[in-house]
Amino acid sequence: MMPGALDMDLPLENIKGYSVNGVALFTQVTIHSRTGETYTFTGFPAKKLQGWLAQLGVQKL
């Protein structure tokens, strides 16, 4: 673990969907759980994350 890193343990079946926003020059992907929790990712891996979520059948909100 890195200091300040987000620890996310969310099974696929508990993911409601994801949303995408732009923050300055960065892509921001937010994963929404069925219980209302959100997990936000930015930077280069966020663009790949969108593709991975789509491949797994997670709905874009």
Side-chain angles (χ1 to χ4, degrees), residues 1-4 8 11-13 15 18-20 22-23 27-28 30 32 35 38 42 46 48 50 53-54 56 61:
M1 297 236 352
M2 294 174 38
M8 180 180 143
L12 184 59
E13 62 269 9
I15 296 176
Y18 70 98
S19 58
V20 180
V23 177
T27 299
Q28 177 178 332
T30 302
H32 303 267
T35 60
T38 58
T42 58
K48 288 189 173 194
Q50 294 175 69
L53 290 168
L56 293 169
L61 304 175

Side-chain angles (χ1 to χ4, degrees), residues 24-45:
L25 298 175
F26 298 99
T27 299
Q28 177 178 332
V29 176
T30 302
I31 296 175
H32 303 267
S33 76
R34 296 192 184 281
T35 60
E37 296 172 303
T38 58
Y39 303 91
T40 302
F41 300 89
T42 58
F44 173 75

